[in-house]
Amino acid sequence: MSAVSSWVSETLVRDVTERRIFATLGLITVLLVVGVLTGVIGPRFLLFQIALVGMYALLSLGLNVQWGYAGLINFSVAAFWGIGAYCAALLTAPNSPLGLGLHPVFGFLAAIVVSAFVAVLIGIPTLRLREDYLAIASLGLAEVIRAIILNEDQWTAGSSGISGIPELLSWLPLTDAATTAAVVVVLIAVVYLFLRRVHRSPWGRVLRTIRSDEDLAKALGKNTYQFKMQAFVIGSVIMAVAGAFYAHLNLYIDPSDLVPLTTFYIWIAVILGGTGSNRGAVVGAAVVIAIREGTRFLNDIGFIQTLGVDLAPLRLLFVGGLIILIMRFRQDGLLPPKDELIWPAARDGGGAGGASTSGAAPDGGTASNGGDDR
């Protein structure tokens, strides 16, 4: 009984904290709308930031599949993002070295195919080994991809970059900023719903078992190598889709965009939101972009100007301070994944699964969902 009481109290505290987090996000949204209506924030700037948050959310969801689901340490987020961006740019920009000028759909398809092929190529020799080998290989892969793009002028335009990338869905009766924002919202909705479904499926439960104890999963007869490969490929494809979207958002791409800092930001977003949580990945991406872009305007504040201190370059310091605070007060992240692993019918105690899921375990798991992921 004491374990059940403890679990109930922890659940209540977690629910209250999550409601506060969503209330804060709602307040920020209202302030942004008020800022647009009063002319303090330009609509185009806000829509661009929404699209940027969406791109980071896709990258965070892709990394969450690899690290949050299967425990795969991937330090080549920027590489797969760059693969997607360059596939879209090379195939769709009329002035690219290939000069094809194809429809953006072909760029997205090429990003998916090429990223899946590269993921399998890097996964074959590393996924059978310890996770630190994958970390080393993926870190090297990121630099190899950047070096190839930088030096192969005849194929990638080298340091000159590729411009003239067409806008997405230019035939829609919307501004280009509104169109890209709408496209990324649809992409996030599709990816999020897909991942939520597979996270609760037997496939997702096996991945969580692998992350917690791979030897146990092997003892249960699971082909852990195959499951890890699937998670690595799915996450890499999502990252490449985010890169393809960025190419059509920015309309220009060059090798300087493939910096390791992008990978760092995405890891921060996943950790802040809650490792293994799809909701947390999206919220973490929004927090990182809010800090990264919001600190650009700190020097415009009158009080800061009187101090004579340049605070804009200190954004990494602010991100680091936020990590410390989150790890101190919310060790599992802002939105931990426990609630995501429970079917709504099991939470309500009704439906067809009510009889089999009525006995909730103290750790937040149920008989039907396989328990917590840690």
Side-chain angles (χ1 to χ4, degrees), residues 287-360:
V287 171
V288 169
I289 290 297
I291 295 176
R292 201 190 76 170
E293 300 299 320
T295 51
R296 297 180 187 274
F297 306 100
L298 286 177
N299 292 336
D300 297 333
I301 301 175
F303 172 72
I304 301 299
Q305 290 178 346
T306 59
L307 294 177
V309 180
D310 187 8
L311 292 181
L314 300 179
R315 56 178 55 94
L316 286 179
L317 177 63
F318 296 139
V319 172
L322 181 61
I323 295 173
I324 295 174
L325 291 175
I326 294 297
M327 293 299 101
R328 172 62 180 84
F329 299 103
R330 296 281 293 176
Q331 291 86 352
D332 294 334
L334 294 174
L335 297 173
K338 291 184 178 181
D339 288 345
E340 295 185 11
L341 309 181
I342 304 174
W343 287 102
R347 184 183 293 108
D348 298 336
S356 62
T357 63
S358 58

Side-chain angles (χ1 to χ4, degrees), residues 22-36 41 46 50:
F22 284 117
T24 302
L25 294 176
L27 178 61
I28 294 174
T29 302
V30 171
L31 292 176
L32 290 175
V33 172
V34 172
V36 172
I41 302 175
L46 180 60
I50 291 174

Side-chain angles (χ1 to χ4, degrees), residues 6-55:
S6 175
W7 172 70
V8 171
S9 61
E10 290 178 2
T11 302
L12 292 175
V13 171
R14 185 171 65 247
D15 291 343
V16 171
T17 303
E18 291 188 2
R19 283 197 294 268
R20 290 175 179 173
I21 292 173
F22 284 117
T24 302
L25 294 176
L27 178 61
I28 294 174
T29 302
V30 171
L31 292 176
L32 290 175
V33 172
V34 172
V36 172
L37 295 177
T38 57
V40 177
I41 302 175
R44 183 179 180 84
F45 173 80
L46 180 60
L47 289 172
F48 181 83
Q49 296 305 316
I50 291 174
L52 197 61
V53 169
M55 186 204 71

